[in-house]
């Protein structure tokens, strides 16, 4: 969708918004996340935003990632803002925790989730050689739950699908380079 927005010479948020006129729940989370993230407002020098929206398990989630890319090509995710419409809610704190955990899981996969094989066997055996996001790498995360009278949806996984696209869309905004495979290859983003 971001590539189509660029081809249409439109803002990625506005382009998505225009496509969702007949999809109120998608549009609701998209507009909420853009507002809460300050879409269109200035960021610190070298920090860029990317946006994505997805639906899974009957829930709708939009996320904005604020990312910088170092001269070595390594991306740093500074902040993630999420908006979720999972229908009627019973315990908002559980929803927040599930979305936060899904973001950690998705970021770990996007940044580090490489599996390699040697001699027909997986080389990674545990977290010592299959890294996950560490506390020191964790971005600030904000979760905003939209009020809804819709039937309750799932909440364990829906925060995962939009995080990698939001991050790589921010990387494109920062570098002009499109990444089409995961995990993110920092060598492809190195400044010459």
């Amino acid at each position: 969708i971001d590539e189509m927005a660029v081809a249409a010479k439109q803002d990625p948020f506005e382009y998505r918004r225009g496509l969702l006129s007949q999809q109120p729940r998608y549009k609701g989370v998209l507009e909420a996340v853009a507002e809460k993230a300050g879409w269109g407002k200035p960021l610190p020098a070298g920090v860029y935003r990317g946006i994505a929206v997805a639906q899974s398990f009957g829930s709708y989630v939009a996320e904005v990632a604020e990312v910088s890319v170092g001269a070595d090509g390594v991306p740093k995710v500074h902040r993630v803002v999420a908006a979720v419409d999972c229908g009627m809610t019973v315990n908002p704190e559980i929803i927040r925790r599930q979305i936060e955990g899904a973001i950690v899981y998705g970021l770990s996969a996007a940044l580090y989730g490489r599996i390699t094989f040697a001699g027909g066997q997986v080389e990674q055996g545990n977290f010592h050689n299959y890294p996950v996001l560490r506390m020191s790498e964790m971005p600030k995360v904000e979760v905003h739950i939209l009020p809804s009278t819709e039937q309750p949806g799932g909440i364990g996984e829906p925060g995962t699908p939009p995080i990698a696209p939001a991050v790589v869309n921010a990387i494109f905004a920062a570098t002009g380079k499109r990444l089409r495979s995961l995990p993110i290859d920092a060598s492809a983003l190195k400044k010459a």
Side-chain angles (χ1 to χ4, degrees):
I1 297 294
D2 247 50
E3 291 186 48
M4 291 188 292
V6 169
K9 296 181 174 41
Q10 291 186 27
D11 173 82
F13 160 66
E14 294 296 345
Y15 185 80
R16 283 173 175 78
R17 185 184 195 183
L19 295 174
L20 297 173
S21 61
Q22 303 299 310
Q23 300 289 328
R25 293 180 77 187
Y26 271 116
K27 189 175 178 185
V29 292
L30 183 70
E31 290 176 339
V33 81
E35 179 201 340
K36 298 296 186 181
W39 190 268
K41 293 183 179 166
L43 285 166
V47 178
Y48 297 84
R49 287 187 186 102
I51 192 167
V53 62
Q55 181 275 339
S56 58
F57 301 97
S59 295
Y60 298 76
V61 179
E63 293 173 358
V64 170
E66 296 178 359
V67 178
S68 62
V69 179
D72 59 358
V74 175
K76 177 172 177 43
V77 182
H78 300 274
R79 177 179 174 225
V80 176
V81 181
V84 59
D85 174 354
C86 58
M88 290 182 285
T89 62
V90 176
N91 187 332
E93 203 52 43
I94 288 175
I95 295 166
R96 270 188 202 81
R97 298 292 183 244
Q98 289 288 351
I99 296 295
E100 290 167 352
I103 288 168
V104 171
Y105 180 78
L107 278 176
S108 294
L111 297 172
Y112 305 121
R114 186 173 315 282
I115 298 289
T116 57
F117 295 85
Q121 299 215 355
V122 173
E123 293 182 301
Q124 292 73 25
N126 209 325
F127 296 123
H128 70 283
N129 57 4
Y130 184 82
V132 295
L133 203 66
R134 304 291 188 214
M135 291 290 286
S136 62
E137 299 168 304
M138 186 64 192
K140 178 181 178 185
V141 176
E142 299 172 24
V143 178
H144 302 278
I145 304 164
L146 277 62
S148 179
T149 57
E150 296 288 338
Q151 183 175 354
I155 200 58
E157 289 85 4
T160 301
I163 191 60
V167 169
V168 297
N169 291 338
I171 288 171
F172 173 78
T175 66
K177 295 178 182 175
R178 284 283 177 204
L179 301 176
R180 293 188 176 86
S181 63
L182 294 175
I184 294 166
D185 180 4
S187 68
L189 302 173
K190 274 186 191 177
K191 294 181 182 167

